[in-house]
Amino acid sequence: MSSSKDGKRFFNTTAKKGEIHELKQELKTPDKAKKKDVVKKVIAAMTVGHDVAPLFPDVVNCMQTDDMELKKLVYLYLINYAKTQPDLTLMAVNTFVKDSLDPSPLIRALAVRTMGCIRVDKITEYLCDPLDRCLKDSDPYVRKTSAVCVAKLYDISPELVEERGFLDNLKDMISDANPMVVANSVAALSEIHSMSGKPVFELTSQTVMKLLAALNECTEWGQVFILDSLVDYSPKDSKDAESVIERIIPRLQHANCAVVLSALKVILKFLRFVSDEDFKGPMVKKLAAPLVTLLNTEPQVQYVALRNINIIIQRHKEILQNNIKVFFCKYNDPIYVKMEKLEALIKLANAENIDQLLLEFKEYSTEIDVDFVRKSVRAIGRCAVSIAESAQKCIDVLLGLIETRVNYVVQEAVIVIKDIFRKYPNKYESIISTLCENLDTLDEPEAKASMVWIIGEYADRIDNADELLETFLETFPEETSPVQLQLLTATVKLFLKKPTEKPQEMIQLVLSNATQETDNPDLRDRAYIYWRLLSTDPEAAKDVILSEKPVIADDTASLDPEMLDGLLANIGTLASVYQKLPDTFVARVRPAVQLAAGDFQAPTLDDGGAGQDPARAEQSAPVPDMPDLLGGLGDLEVSAPAPAAAAAAAPVDLMGDLLSLDVGGPAAQPAAQPPAGGSDPFGLDSLGGAPAAAPAAATQEPSLPVLLTVEKGKGLEVSGRLERRQGQVSYELSFRNATQQPLDGLMIQFNKNSFGLAPAGALQVPPIAPGASQRTSLPISVDPQAATPAPAKPVLQVAIKCNQLGVLYLADSVNLAAVLMEDGAMQYAQFQQVWVKAPAANTQQQQLSSGGKTLEGCVQSLQGSGLFASGSGAFGAHLSGKFTLGALALVEVSAPQNGLVQVTCKSQRVDLLPLLMAHVGKALA
């Protein structure tokens, strides 16, 4: 307790007046114990976010010490501030080199580790010689640390690593006598392989034997590295695969679940190369026990294990076929564990265990959690669809659940019974009367649509089908699109099967509503098609509308075989939990390396800096990509240009095509006219004439960059750009529907972002027909108080939801012109005054392409991007702007020379400088 209280006192730090000066003086004390306490204060201040960069030279001077704890503290400080003080970091190089020759292996390893963590280009030149020595060090701790350092150096300078032969050193270290050195070498080579994309680490049978020999003595994470690398090895023959499997089998008993899953991944791959069935059968049985053991851990680990198990049993059901009881839900299981267990039970269901499973599912259907109950009822339906011999048993259970009269249970049962009817037509229609007795309980769109489909499909067997449909037609205009579409089709089916007076009146009503009272183009177009079919050729209408339906299959949770292979190769990783391939949500972006000459520093706390804005005290660093806070955004293209073909494509007159449809006749007649040869036999001429042809396409608006492709948007393409018009930020958006169904109910939400941007209202987009596009302008509110803390990131994470596709995520880059305000203009005298007073730490300078423009052309380009010309001086033109966050944007552009201009940017917010520089570069290009 005393040490804990002693540590807390260092964190009682605030930015008091003169504190930096006091610390600077205290660091000069000759007393080693006191100096250590002062450095602890500095680290504590750094940890809580205060800027202690002005102490850099004084802290570096403390490196010359034999005290290991003090040296570690100084190295920690160096790693944090080297990126903002690259030139001063060079002062520490000699100490690093000296420490790499220290008699203590701990200090040698610490020196190499720290040099590898400092991403400054000039440091790498001095790192190579110490690293070369440490890779061949006599102490294994130094060698294993150096192995990881090679991967860090490769991330900074791949050419340097290859030139100095460090890759060859790593490959040689795989034969090292120490297992941890082997594990770290494998980890470093695997990381380099993933960064470079070329085969730097090729496994041979000899190498595999060396790795397997080291496997038993490694730490658990070392074992994971080695096992993951073995997945890339392809055995020469069946005996080779058997040999590797036998060496890995003991890992299945490991206490660490990561080791178990990695071992499973390797064994499952190598079993594919085994031809001996006598070996394969018993081996598969051995895989069940470790998976069952994983389900006896804490809920979070259970969830990860279940996500992996659900992938494994799609390909290898035989592993857990006899262990279904371990997947039975317990009363105290969290809902996320219950859902995964339920999915596993559905996948493992067969004719032998279905009775046991149905009892479980029926029990689950009486739970209090509505979502779990719904999935349990749906599980019964999925079992009926996938196991033909159990369909009757499933039907009986569903009927029992319907008798409970619990609203959401009945509705879910109706939905799954519709799927059973699709799978087994003309087999279980005797239960329709029971379903019809529960019409009053249906209030959810999917349940209503399912019931309407059943009534329409079996209208000839339901005596009062017209009365049942009529109850739904009373609320036709208020129903959702799926229900309206089903009502339209069901009414036409009833009309074709029972062409009596009442159905004739009903079809006139529904066609009138669907063509004249709706804004849904899909509903309207389907109504026109039915209208034309019925008006011209009733027999053709019967052939089309009453045609035999294809039999459905249960593929709800099935994965594409190619994707399943990819996920099986990534068992035990985040990909198996997301059940997405790594490339879809991980983008490898190498962080920028700090350049000493062109670097910029954070604003410093001077001695009188009390009350300074903490956001401005944050150290400056290149702005990385924003982490994926919504799930899966890293894989989305940011502001990709719209395809030229899509922009140039001529609009298609879908309505004209629809109205020209004519079944059974050579010439298309206007819809309002009766067919040739007599009056309209169905009395549809009373509906009136067909509407006028679609108007000609309007002048095409400027194309927007594609933010979400059709592939990633499940058939919805989203394009957009932030713009500023008349002092208001707006989000210009375009939606293109590439699906086969209409899309409606579009909503939008922003994640918290660096500029406090948020939708100022609802998204106003009408239903989008298949193949159609809609464009809209969404007003955006700007609240600097709601902005995320510095450093600022130019990323806007957006979630879009629609009724048919669910929630889609995309990432857009913030157009800086949209967040530069109209009151950013400054008189030249005022500009010069602010420019001169701006500290060097708040300045960034860079050479950019002029795009072949003169200085005047450069100024004109920048004026069109939210900046205002203030005047010209000896060094070039000056422009100013003001961010919505309140910070100024000051820019100086020199006269072009050899196609390049020297650009200098200044701002109170240092973290905005990289964004401003990128914005200027884009405007000039």
Side-chain angles (χ1 to χ4, degrees):
M1 290 295 291
S2 60
S3 61
S4 175
K5 291 180 180 177
D6 183 61
K8 288 181 180 178
R9 64 189 175 88
F10 294 109
F11 287 90
N12 295 327
T13 56
T14 53
K16 298 175 183 176
K17 185 174 182 180
E19 183 182 10
I20 295 293
H21 178 72
E22 291 175 10
L23 290 172
K24 191 185 289 279
Q25 295 302 317
E26 290 176 359
L27 283 170
K28 296 176 183 177
T29 179
D31 187 335
K32 292 184 178 180
K34 187 175 180 182
K35 183 178 288 188
K36 188 194 299 185
D37 281 350
V38 177
V39 175
K40 285 182 179 179
K41 286 183 182 178
V42 173
I43 298 298
M46 180 182 78
T47 304
V48 298
H50 297 313
D51 186 7
V52 288
L55 300 173
F56 195 92
D58 304 278
V59 176
V60 170
N61 289 335
C62 298
M63 288 177 67
Q64 304 291 342
T65 179
D66 296 329
D67 188 315
M68 179 62 117
E69 186 180 4
L70 178 57
K71 192 176 286 286
K72 284 183 177 180
L73 289 169
V74 175
Y75 279 3
L76 182 62
Y77 178 90
L78 277 173
I79 291 171
N80 191 65
Y81 278 112
K83 56 184 174 233
T84 59
Q85 306 278 356
D87 292 319
L88 292 176
T89 308
L90 296 176
M91 296 166 49
V93 166
N94 289 335
T95 306
F96 283 132
V97 175
K98 180 181 175 183
D99 284 351
S100 69
L101 297 167
D102 194 274
S104 169
L106 292 176
I107 291 181
R108 295 200 300 274
L110 182 62
V112 173
R113 179 192 291 125
T114 306
M115 291 180 77
C117 291
I118 296 175
R119 301 184 60 82
V120 177
D121 62 331
K122 289 189 177 181
I123 291 288
T124 58
E125 302 169 16
Y126 300 96
L127 171 61
C128 292
D129 290 334
L131 180 58
D132 196 23
R133 282 195 303 272
C134 291
L135 284 169
K136 302 166 185 173
D137 198 279
S138 59
D139 191 281
Y141 180 74
V142 180
R143 295 199 301 276
K144 84 178 187 68
T145 305
S146 304
V148 177
C149 191
V150 173
K152 293 179 179 178
L153 180 59
Y154 188 91
D155 196 25
I156 300 171
S157 177
E159 301 80 10
L160 194 58
V161 170
E162 294 175 6
E163 181 184 324
R164 294 296 295 260
F166 291 145
L167 288 179
D168 295 329
N169 289 345
L170 281 180
K171 294 173 186 175
D172 294 339
M173 290 167 71
I174 291 177
S175 306
D176 197 279
N178 186 282
M180 276 312 302
V181 176
V182 175
N184 279 22
S185 302
V186 170
L189 284 169
S190 299
E191 184 68 18
I192 291 171
H193 174 78
S194 63
M195 283 191 288
S196 65
K198 53 187 179 183
V200 296
F201 181 36
E202 296 181 2
L203 289 172
T204 62
S205 56
Q206 292 81 8
T207 308
V208 169
M209 289 303 114
K210 293 174 185 176
L211 295 179
L212 291 172
L215 192 61
N216 294 331
E217 302 175 39
C218 284
T219 64
E220 51 195 19
W221 297 114
Q223 292 180 37
V224 171
F225 287 134
I226 292 176
L227 289 168
D228 286 347
S229 67
L230 289 175
V231 175
D232 297 327
Y233 174 64
S234 296
K236 295 180 294 186
D237 50 35
S238 178
K239 291 295 181 185
D240 188 17
E242 291 175 22
S243 172
V244 174
I245 291 172
E246 286 173 344
R247 300 281 292 274
I248 294 175
I249 277 290
R251 299 302 102 209
L252 295 177
Q253 300 172 9
H254 203 284
N256 188 309
C257 59
V259 177
V260 175
L261 289 173
S262 294
L264 270 168
K265 173 170 54 179
V266 178
I267 292 170
L268 286 173
K269 177 186 175 178
F270 279 54
L271 278 174
R272 290 187 293 174
F273 296 90
V274 176
S275 56
D276 185 357
E277 293 299 326
D278 293 336
F279 176 88
K280 188 182 290 187
M283 194 58 62
V284 167
K285 290 181 180 178
K286 290 182 181 180
L287 300 181
L291 289 173
V292 170
T293 303
L294 290 177
L295 297 180
N296 293 321
T297 54
E298 55 268 25
Q300 293 83 357
V301 177
Q302 280 189 58
Y303 176 76
V304 173
L306 284 164
R307 294 292 283 178
N308 284 275
I309 287 170
N310 278 324
I311 294 171
I312 292 170
I313 60 180
Q314 282 201 46
R315 178 67 56 81
H316 304 282
K317 286 187 180 181
E318 67 278 7
I319 295 175
L320 291 163
Q321 196 76 63
N322 300 321
N323 298 88
I324 62 167
K325 286 188 177 180
V326 300
F327 297 105
F328 287 176
C329 299
K330 300 174 184 176
Y331 74 95
N332 58 348
D333 279 340
I335 183 63
Y336 55 87
V337 170
K338 286 182 177 179
M339 291 295 198
E340 290 303 317
K341 283 185 174 181
L342 203 54
E343 193 62 47
L345 288 172
I346 296 169
K347 289 186 173 74
L348 293 172
N350 57 35
E352 296 174 3
N353 59 29
I354 189 64
D355 292 336
Q356 195 176 10
L357 289 180
L358 287 177
L359 287 174
E360 280 293 307
F361 293 157
K362 187 175 181 179
E363 186 66 27
Y364 299 158
S365 300
T366 61
E367 293 274 352
I368 58 173
D369 189 291
V370 176
D371 290 335
F372 182 55
V373 170
R374 287 179 182 278
K375 184 153 186 175
S376 301
V377 176
R378 194 154 291 202
I380 299 171
R382 287 173 61 184
C383 289
V385 171
S386 58
I387 308 170
E389 50 267 45
S390 71
Q392 183 61 55
K393 297 175 183 176
C394 296
I395 288 280
D396 293 340
V397 174
L398 289 170
L399 289 175
L401 293 174
I402 289 175
E403 289 174 2
T404 63
R405 302 288 179 175
V406 178
N407 182 275
Y408 51 85
V409 174
V410 172
Q411 302 202 77
E412 203 66 35
V414 170
I415 294 169
V416 299
I417 287 174
K418 185 260 291 185
D419 292 335
I420 295 173
F421 284 171
R422 287 286 308 275
K423 176 69 175 180
Y424 310 106
N426 304 316
K427 197 169 182 181
Y428 299 108
E429 286 72 21
S430 58
I431 67 171
I432 292 176
S433 58
T434 306
L435 300 180
C436 294
E437 292 171 3
N438 293 275
L439 284 182
D440 295 340
T441 63
L442 305 182
D443 55 18
E444 295 178 6
E446 191 176 2
K448 281 186 176 181
S450 298
M451 191 66 221
V452 169
W453 181 89
I454 292 171
I455 296 171
E457 188 68 17
Y458 299 101
D460 51 340
R461 304 188 191 184
I462 303 174
D463 295 335
N464 61 338
D466 50 353
E467 296 175 6
L468 297 177
L469 277 181
E470 196 169 24
T471 60
F472 288 104
L473 289 177
E474 291 172 0
T475 57
F476 182 87
E478 291 80 35
E479 299 290 355
T480 60
S481 296
V483 178
Q484 288 180 331
L485 288 166
Q486 287 295 352
L487 276 171
L488 172 61
T489 303
T491 307
V492 174
K493 287 179 180 177
L494 172 66
F495 179 63
L496 291 172
K497 291 178 179 180
K498 294 182 178 180
T500 58
E501 183 179 351
K502 189 166 186 180
Q504 183 173 333
E505 294 174 358
M506 291 170 62
I507 198 171
Q508 289 183 8
L509 173 65
V510 75
L511 286 176
S512 176
N513 282 331
T515 55
Q516 300 174 16
E517 306 294 333
T518 182
D519 294 327
N520 186 338
D522 188 38
L523 177 65
R524 188 170 58 242
D525 294 346
R526 187 181 296 190
Y528 285 138
I529 292 173
Y530 288 162
W531 181 359
R532 179 55 58 84
L533 281 172
L534 294 171
S535 300
T536 55
D537 192 339
E539 291 306 316
K542 286 184 179 181
D543 292 340
V544 171
I545 299 166
L546 303 181
S547 61
E548 189 174 339
K549 313 294 185 296
V551 176
I552 64 169
D554 178 32
D555 57 355
T556 309
S558 299
L559 296 171
D560 178 81
E562 186 177 344
M563 183 178 181
L564 183 58
D565 288 337
L567 292 177
L568 285 170
N570 285 281
I571 290 292
T573 67
L574 198 58
S576 64
V577 179
Y578 282 169
Q579 295 194 355
K580 295 180 180 179
L581 294 177
D583 293 343
T584 62
F585 65 89
V586 174
R588 278 201 169 274
V589 181
R590 287 175 54 195
V593 180
Q594 301 299 319
L595 302 175
D599 235 347
F600 51 94
Q601 304 171 1
T604 59
L605 283 171
D606 56 20
D607 291 346
Q612 183 177 356
D613 182 2
R616 296 180 188 172
E618 295 239 359
Q619 57 271 26
S620 172
V623 181
D625 289 339
M626 180 175 279
D628 187 1
L629 301 176
L630 295 174
L633 290 175
D635 62 313
L636 298 174
E637 299 175 7
V638 179
S639 296
V652 180
D653 186 0
L654 296 176
M655 187 61 70
D657 287 347
L658 266 178
L659 293 179
S660 66
L661 283 174
D662 191 8
V663 181
Q669 301 292 331
Q673 296 179 2
S679 62
D680 182 358
F682 293 96
L684 295 176
D685 50 354
S686 60
L687 292 175
T699 306
Q700 191 168 352
E701 298 184 56
S703 62
L704 300 171
V706 176
L707 306 178
L708 186 65
T709 61
V710 170
E711 293 76 18
K712 294 174 183 176
K714 304 178 185 178
L716 176 65
E717 181 184 86
V718 182
S719 306
R721 181 174 52 237
L722 282 170
E723 294 184 359
R724 191 174 189 87
R725 297 178 178 176
Q726 299 178 345
Q728 169 70 39
V729 182
S730 65
Y731 204 7
E732 303 302 312
L733 290 165
S734 175
F735 301 91
R736 182 171 71 87
N737 181 5
T739 69
Q740 299 302 314
Q741 60 179 336
L743 302 180
D744 58 13
L746 283 164
M747 294 184 285
I748 192 168
Q749 185 65 17
F750 292 175
N751 198 7
K752 288 187 177 180
N753 52 79
S754 297
F755 295 93
L757 304 176
L763 197 59
Q764 302 293 331
V765 180
I768 310 173
S773 298
Q774 291 286 353
R775 187 157 174 161
T776 188
S777 181
L778 177 69
I780 302 297
S781 65
V782 182
D783 182 7
Q785 300 300 319
T788 55
K793 301 175 180 66
V795 178
L796 181 65
Q797 293 180 325
V798 182
I800 292 176
K801 180 180 179 182
C802 81
N803 291 336
Q804 291 74 21
L805 303 180
V807 182
L808 305 170
Y809 300 110
L810 60 89
D812 191 4
S813 57
V814 176
N815 175 20
L816 232 59
V819 292
L820 285 168
M821 298 191 293
E822 286 72 11
D823 59 349
M826 297 174 67
Q827 295 294 328
Y828 192 48
Q830 183 188 7
F831 179 96
Q832 287 179 309
Q833 185 178 8
V834 177
W835 182 267
V836 171
K837 287 185 177 180
N842 292 62
T843 304
Q844 185 176 357
Q845 196 172 63
Q846 192 173 332
Q847 275 197 334
L848 299 174
S849 170
S850 65
K853 304 181 185 70
T854 62
L855 180 59
E856 184 180 350
C858 291
V859 172
Q860 288 178 350
S861 296
L862 292 174
Q863 282 181 306
S865 64
L867 297 172
F868 298 88
S870 292
S872 299
F875 297 102
H878 295 107
L879 301 99
S880 66
K882 186 177 181 181
F883 291 102
T884 52
L885 297 173
L888 293 175
L890 308 180
V891 179
E892 179 184 80
V893 183
S894 69
Q897 291 185 354
N898 300 322
L900 297 174
V901 291
Q902 186 80 12
V903 177
T904 305
C905 297
K906 297 188 179 185
S907 179
Q908 302 103 310
R909 285 277 300 269
V910 179
D911 58 310
L912 291 173
L913 290 175
L915 281 63
L916 180 58
M917 185 66 75
H919 177 66
V920 171
K922 186 176 179 181
L924 294 178

